[in-house]
Amino acid sequence: RPTWSSQDQKCKPGPLDLIFLIDSSRSVRPHEFETMRKFMIDILNSLEIGPDSTRVGVVQYSSQVRGSVDPLSVDVVAGIRQIVPLAQGTMTGLAIRYMMNEAFTAEQGDRPKVPNVAVIVTDGRPQDRVAEVAAEARERGIEIFAVGVARADMTSLRAMASLPFEDHVFLEESFDLIHQFGLQFQDAFCGLDLCKEMDHGCEHVCENSPGSFHCLCSEGYTLNEDGKTCTAIDLLVEFCSFGNDSCDHHCVNMLNGFYCTCKEGHRLQADGKTCQDMEMCSSVQHGCEHQCVNTPGSYYCVCPEGQLLQDDGKSCGACTSANIDLVLLIDGSKSVRPQNFELVKKFVNQVVDSLDVSAHGTRVGLVQYSSRVRTEFPLNMYHTAEDIKAAVMKVEYMEKGTMTGLALKHMLENSFSEAEGARPAARSVPRVGLVFTDGRSQDDISEYAKKAKEAGITMYAVGVGKAVEDELREIASEPVEKHFYYTTDFNAISTIADNLKLNVCPEESQGEVEVKDPCACENLVEFQQNTGSSLEQLTQKHILPD
């Protein structure tokens, strides 16, 4: 996992002009301000600071704004240690304007053609307007990270931050957790060299891009459709442009020649040029009970409205809970802790044990999220419960932040795509998403929680520990009480897994789980009444009247 670099291994993101805007209003308590001071020093200790590399300035704000550390200061860390909090109001808009007009100036050390980055830290709602001045700052090319702590307002953070919000907006529960943003910030500017870290497959040149890479070709070559191999430009003869290729549908150029392809739903014949319509439904014994639908080179069965395709992939029935596409999103943030993450994996496997996993029945995909999102395995990778459970136990703990909104976006756009094994919408296979989290999301969940349900995905939300009930309810499908669960203890999630039924039929249980507190008054009374009734029945049955 990322850690702060040591003094002899500084991060070198390239020339960077960095300004911290720190909230020193009266609501920031002294020990919290000290935590924020240490947070800035930790970030600086990970960077190479100098006139020709990263330059750093600090501006503190409350009801007034004060430039506390000059960007050209010889010892930035020493300057941060000497900052005295202002302890007044929260004029965040005023601070952004000061940063734009005073801090990022040539007189203060701002360099032309060097990226300007601002990190705004606040613990409350601004007392002035921030949207307009923040927009002006972004238009001037300043990249803004908005870090909210405790009482901070998410709407205000999004109004200040640059896009995309999942990379620039962070909301922490307390100042003690603010270092998690530091790790993410270090990742953004000191990320891995993926061209060196993985087998990229580029034939000529691999070039890094934020969080990814792409292939390039040497001069005189062009990149092929596979995105990795290269072909010399002077050898790529445009045969198809001659008009004598005789392809029935499509002609594709290749090195010293061409080949033919067919439109979707057609098959290339033995002559390599003509195409034939693939109507497999009319040419094979498909066995579909209701209707057969052709696909390129294959077919599938569909059922009438109100009925679902059964496990055999051919017959129709009123309901089946075994035939679903299920994607589980599990929280891999630092607050979960390694020993609890093992309990989360056991929870996943208990859910898998309750399902009828097969290629035609239930398909299961797993996604882990923290500050990033990682598909552990897609829906089409494993077709037995044993294989899925073995893969789950091999999942490695990510241990970073909690970007639940980013995870929901990934699930909607990637996990439930046909490319990753989700069955076509026309087949009416229910899609179910289950989100497991142990804390507040550091990004906004509203947009993609809503879009997921609008896309027809049945959403379940399982929270533990410091999970926020309002967020769980926002994720969960209607009726909410039947689709979200919460427990204070990780050890209790096994109870939820044992009782959770991911059924999709209204006449069947929708997975309502009641985890009772044995010490609650009404449960003690119920226990006493049941015990008294059982003792009376035993007495009447086994003890003689005399």
Side-chain angles (χ1 to χ4, degrees):
R1 65 183 181 88
T3 56
W4 297 115
S5 303
S6 62
Q7 294 291 337
D8 59 346
Q9 291 182 324
K10 298 289 187 180
C11 164
K12 300 179 181 180
L16 189 73
D17 289 341
L18 172 64
I19 297 291
F20 288 98
L21 264 67
I22 59 171
D23 185 349
S24 64
S25 58
R26 66 175 62 90
S27 61
V28 180
R29 298 173 179 85
H31 72 277
E32 293 175 336
F33 193 86
E34 292 306 312
T35 302
M36 186 160 49
R37 193 196 307 270
K38 182 178 183 302
F39 150 77
M40 289 188 290
I41 292 173
D42 283 342
I43 290 182
L44 298 185
N45 283 339
S46 73
L47 301 172
E48 183 180 56
I49 308 296
D52 298 323
S53 52
T54 298
R55 296 184 183 181
V56 180
V58 180
V59 174
Q60 64 165 322
Y61 67 93
S62 58
S63 296
Q64 57 181 308
V65 182
R66 179 184 301 168
S68 299
V69 178
D70 185 83
L72 294 178
S73 173
V74 176
D75 191 344
V76 181
V77 173
I80 291 175
R81 296 189 190 280
Q82 295 172 7
I83 295 176
V84 178
L86 298 172
Q88 297 174 3
T90 311
M91 303 294 284
T92 315
L94 183 65
I96 296 174
R97 187 164 297 283
Y98 177 94
M99 169 199 73
M100 184 171 52
N101 297 332
E102 302 292 336
F104 281 124
T105 61
E107 294 76 15
Q108 292 295 315
D110 183 49
R111 293 164 289 181
K113 298 182 180 180
V114 171
N116 289 165
V117 177
V119 176
I120 304 176
V121 183
T122 181
D123 85 322
R125 185 189 300 272
Q127 294 175 343
D128 57 354
R129 301 179 68 173
V130 297
E132 294 85 354
V133 67
E136 185 179 348
R138 295 193 299 269
E139 288 175 0
R140 292 194 188 184
I142 301 174
E143 183 177 5
I144 300 177
F145 291 83
V147 183
V149 183
R151 301 164 290 275
D153 174 55
M154 176 61 79
T155 302
S156 300
L157 296 177
R158 290 167 66 92
M160 293 186 286
S162 297
L163 294 173
F165 290 139
E166 57 262 27
D167 293 333
H168 294 86
V169 177
F170 303 87
L171 182 59
E172 307 288 0
E173 294 178 7
S174 68
F175 277 91
D176 293 335
L177 298 175
I178 197 173
H179 68 280
Q180 293 186 9
F181 165 75
L183 297 176
Q184 180 108 349
F185 182 85
Q186 187 188 36
D187 271 359
F189 290 96
C190 312
L192 296 175
D193 185 342
L194 294 179
C195 288
K196 293 181 180 179
E197 294 289 333
M198 63 186 300
D199 182 13
H200 51 76
C202 296
E203 184 177 0
H204 285 184
V205 180
C206 176
E207 182 176 82
N208 283 293
S209 57
S212 184
F213 68 89
H214 57 272
C215 299
L216 300 174
C217 294
S218 303
E219 186 175 357
Y221 290 80
T222 182
L223 193 65
N224 295 326
E225 291 185 2
D226 60 8
K228 296 186 177 183
T229 59
C230 302
T231 299
I233 295 174
D234 58 351
L235 294 178
L236 186 61
V237 182
E238 294 288 338
F239 281 90
C240 295
S241 64
F242 295 165
N244 60 355
D245 52 78
S246 303
C247 290
D248 199 1
H249 286 177
H250 303 300
C251 176
V252 180
N253 287 298
M254 60 181 294
L255 186 63
N256 293 327
F258 68 93
Y259 63 92
C260 300
T261 61
C262 296
K263 298 177 182 177
E264 184 176 354
H266 295 75
R267 180 186 293 109
L268 190 66
Q269 298 303 291
D271 61 7
K273 295 184 178 182
T274 58
C275 301
Q276 183 180 25
D277 189 13
M278 293 187 302
E279 291 289 344
M280 296 195 69
C281 288
S282 60
S283 61
V284 299
Q285 294 294 326
H286 53 76
C288 295
E289 180 180 335
H290 178 66
Q291 182 181 354
C292 175
V293 178
N294 287 295
T295 62
S298 186
Y299 67 91
Y300 63 87
C301 303
V302 295
C303 294
E305 186 176 355
Q307 294 191 39
L308 295 174
L309 197 65
Q310 299 302 293
D311 293 349
D312 59 8
K314 297 182 179 182
S315 58
C316 302
C319 189
T320 174
S321 61
N323 188 11
I324 63 175
D325 286 342
L326 169 66
V327 175
L328 298 107
L329 274 62
I330 59 172
D331 186 348
S333 60
K334 185 177 180 180
S335 57
V336 173
R337 303 184 186 280
Q339 64 272 25
N340 288 332
F341 191 72
E342 293 304 311
L343 294 177
V344 174
K345 291 196 288 187
K346 291 181 180 178
F347 164 79
V348 171
N349 282 348
Q350 283 181 273
V351 173
V352 172
D353 279 333
S354 69
L355 304 171
D356 181 13
V357 178
S358 69
H360 295 294
T362 289
R363 296 182 182 180
V364 178
L366 181 65
V367 172
Q368 182 183 177
Y369 68 94
S370 59
S371 298
R372 298 175 179 174
V373 182
R374 183 172 71 206
T375 297
E376 301 296 352
F377 52 83
L379 287 164
N380 56 0
M381 180 168 286
Y382 302 112
H383 299 303
T384 68
E386 290 71 23
D387 289 343
I388 291 175
K389 290 164 63 177
V392 169
M393 296 313 295
K394 293 178 182 177
V395 171
E396 295 184 359
Y397 179 31
M398 294 175 76
E399 195 175 355
K400 292 184 182 178
T402 311
M403 305 291 280
T404 314
L406 184 62
L408 290 169
K409 180 177 186 289
H410 179 91
M411 176 198 71
L412 180 63
E413 297 179 352
N414 299 284
S415 302
F416 282 114
S417 66
E418 292 183 36
E420 293 201 2
R423 284 161 283 195
R427 298 182 62 178
S428 301
V429 176
R431 295 178 175 182
V432 179
L434 189 153
V435 180
F436 180 94
T437 182
D438 88 317
R440 179 190 298 273
S441 176
Q442 293 172 341
D443 61 350
D444 182 63
I445 66 166
S446 302
E447 178 182 359
Y448 284 97
K450 180 181 178 182
K451 285 184 176 180
K453 287 177 282 191
E454 288 176 347
I457 302 172
T458 302
M459 296 299 301
Y460 289 80
V462 177
V464 66
K466 294 183 179 180
V468 179
E469 181 176 337
D470 288 345
E471 289 188 355
L472 297 176
R473 288 179 170 273
E474 190 165 6
I475 292 170
S477 293
E478 295 289 344
V480 172
E481 287 70 21
K482 295 180 180 292
H483 291 85
F484 98 95
Y485 316 99
Y486 172 78
T487 178
T488 57
D489 186 0
F490 272 89
N491 291 308
I493 61 176
S494 60
T495 305
I496 294 177
D498 287 339
N499 292 277
L500 184 66
K501 292 182 176 63
L502 301 175
N503 293 330
V504 293
C505 300
E507 64 269 23
E508 295 183 16
S509 168
Q510 288 288 326
E512 183 174 7
V513 178
E514 182 182 8
V515 181
K516 294 185 176 181
D517 180 0
C519 297
C521 179
E522 62 271 17
N523 295 330
L524 285 172
V525 172
E526 181 182 352
F527 173 77
Q528 292 171 343
Q529 291 174 342
N530 291 340
T531 303
S533 175
S534 298
L535 287 173
E536 184 178 354
Q537 291 176 4
L538 288 170
T539 301
Q540 293 176 350
K541 184 175 181 179
H542 298 289
I543 300 178
L544 296 175
D546 56 357

